[in-house]
Amino acid sequence: MTVNSPLEVSRWLLAALSTKMFRYYEDRIPQDASVLVVSNHRSFMDAPILMAALSSSIRFACHHYMGQVPIMREIVTGQLGCFPLEEANQHRQQSFFQQSQLLLQSKQIVGVFPEGTKPMVEFTQPNRVGEFERGFAHLALRARVRDLAILPIAIASLEEVNTSAVPLRVLSLFDPSEPLFNQSGWHPLVTYQRVAVLIGHPYWIKPLQKEKYQGKKARTMVTELTNHCHSEIANLLREGCY
């Protein structure tokens, strides 16, 4: 580990912002396995929070525009090790699968925020989790990886400061394909002062599940896996926020 590793940068950021983090159920973290972290998402601090909570560098898939905006690009991709998705929707999923599978095969931890961009560009309540996109479930069932665990984690804000960062229309200059940027208003900036990280039960992907991931059964398997992770995170979030 180098001084400038994503984990060290994450710890430095939390210390610089005087953020107090409380971690629960750390005994659920899988050991000696490929891990796909799935979490709710409201703040620019979520990736560093999760790295600090797991005491590991995590390779997060992030929105295309984060790899385009100056300064943000250097921090997100350079310092934190995130990999931006492709701009074009038709290539985005394929790129996500390819990059994530290679990382998981090398036993690196991959992180995803299935709520997508929406909770980042709209002011949302700390105890709410939005609808999940299903790409992570397809990845888990399709990836040629042994001993793969999906680890649902809830980030529960206990005390935060809400401000505004930049007008949303400014971000459309870096990613015109994102409809959420083509509206008035400002990009929220949520800074945690006190935050709880609740680690859920790992969901292990078994050979039988991969066998069922074909034909008409594939959609059922993806739905079940997506709903399971959403429910686990929602329950943990309620526990952490009250």
Side-chain angles (χ1 to χ4, degrees):
M1 179 184 299
T2 65
V3 175
N4 294 319
S5 72
L7 176 58
E8 291 300 313
V9 172
S10 298
R11 288 171 170 167
W12 174 87
L13 177 63
L14 299 189
L17 295 174
S18 300
T19 300
K20 294 182 179 180
M21 183 185 71
F22 307 92
R23 186 176 66 164
Y24 299 93
Y25 310 125
E26 59 266 29
D27 58 308
R28 297 173 177 173
I29 300 173
Q31 303 298 320
D32 192 29
S34 298
V35 179
L36 178 62
V37 170
V38 178
S39 177
N40 58 310
H41 189 34
R42 295 179 60 245
S43 170
F44 71 98
M45 296 180 64
D46 290 337
I49 285 286
L50 290 170
M51 290 192 211
L54 269 60
S55 297
S56 298
S57 295
I58 305 175
R59 301 297 303 276
F60 283 93
C62 64
H63 197 283
H64 172 76
Y65 83 95
M66 292 186 178
Q68 306 298 313
V69 181
I71 300 179
M72 179 184 290
R73 175 180 59 232
E74 282 68 36
I75 296 174
V76 173
T77 63
Q79 297 297 317
L80 292 177
C82 301
F83 58 98
L85 301 177
E86 296 288 338
E87 177 180 10
N89 287 329
Q90 61 267 32
H91 301 302
R92 185 173 296 171
Q93 190 175 65
Q94 181 180 0
S95 173
F96 168 65
F97 285 162
Q98 291 175 342
Q99 294 184 77
S100 298
Q101 180 169 248
L102 289 174
L103 293 168
L104 290 171
Q105 287 174 341
S106 62
K107 290 292 182 72
Q108 296 190 59
I109 303 176
V110 173
V112 293
F113 297 117
E115 291 173 279
T117 307
K118 191 173 182 179
M120 286 292 291
V121 301
E122 298 178 357
F123 285 101
T124 56
Q125 296 299 316
N127 61 343
R128 299 288 181 87
V129 57
E131 184 178 351
F132 278 7
E133 297 178 4
R134 303 183 177 191
F136 79 92
H138 284 286
L139 168 65
L141 293 166
R142 185 183 301 182
R144 297 176 180 175
V145 179
R146 295 183 61 184
D147 300 322
L148 174 61
I150 300 178
L151 187 63
I153 300 180
I155 301 174
S157 176
L158 305 177
E159 185 178 354
E160 65 185 38
V161 175
N162 286 276
T163 54
S164 299
V166 296
L168 290 172
R169 292 190 187 278
V170 171
L171 297 178
S172 67
L173 299 175
F174 300 98
D175 188 0
S177 67
E178 177 54 69
L180 289 172
F181 295 159
N182 189 26
Q183 59 180 319
S184 59
W186 289 67
H187 191 301
L189 190 67
V190 177
T191 304
Y192 302 131
Q193 295 180 310
R194 295 171 59 248
V195 61
V197 179
L198 298 94
I199 300 167
H201 296 281
Y203 185 101
W204 294 91
I205 302 299
K206 305 294 184 180
L208 180 60
Q209 293 166 307
K210 291 191 174 186
E211 290 177 11
K212 291 182 178 180
Y213 180 69
Q214 56 183 327
K216 295 181 179 180
K217 293 183 179 180
R219 184 174 182 178
T220 300
M221 293 297 300
V222 168
T223 300
E224 289 179 357
L225 180 51
T226 302
N227 291 343
H228 170 84
C229 290
H230 187 280
S231 178
E232 181 87 353
I233 291 174
N235 290 335
L236 289 169
L237 198 57
R238 283 192 291 269
E239 177 183 342
C241 288
Y242 293 105

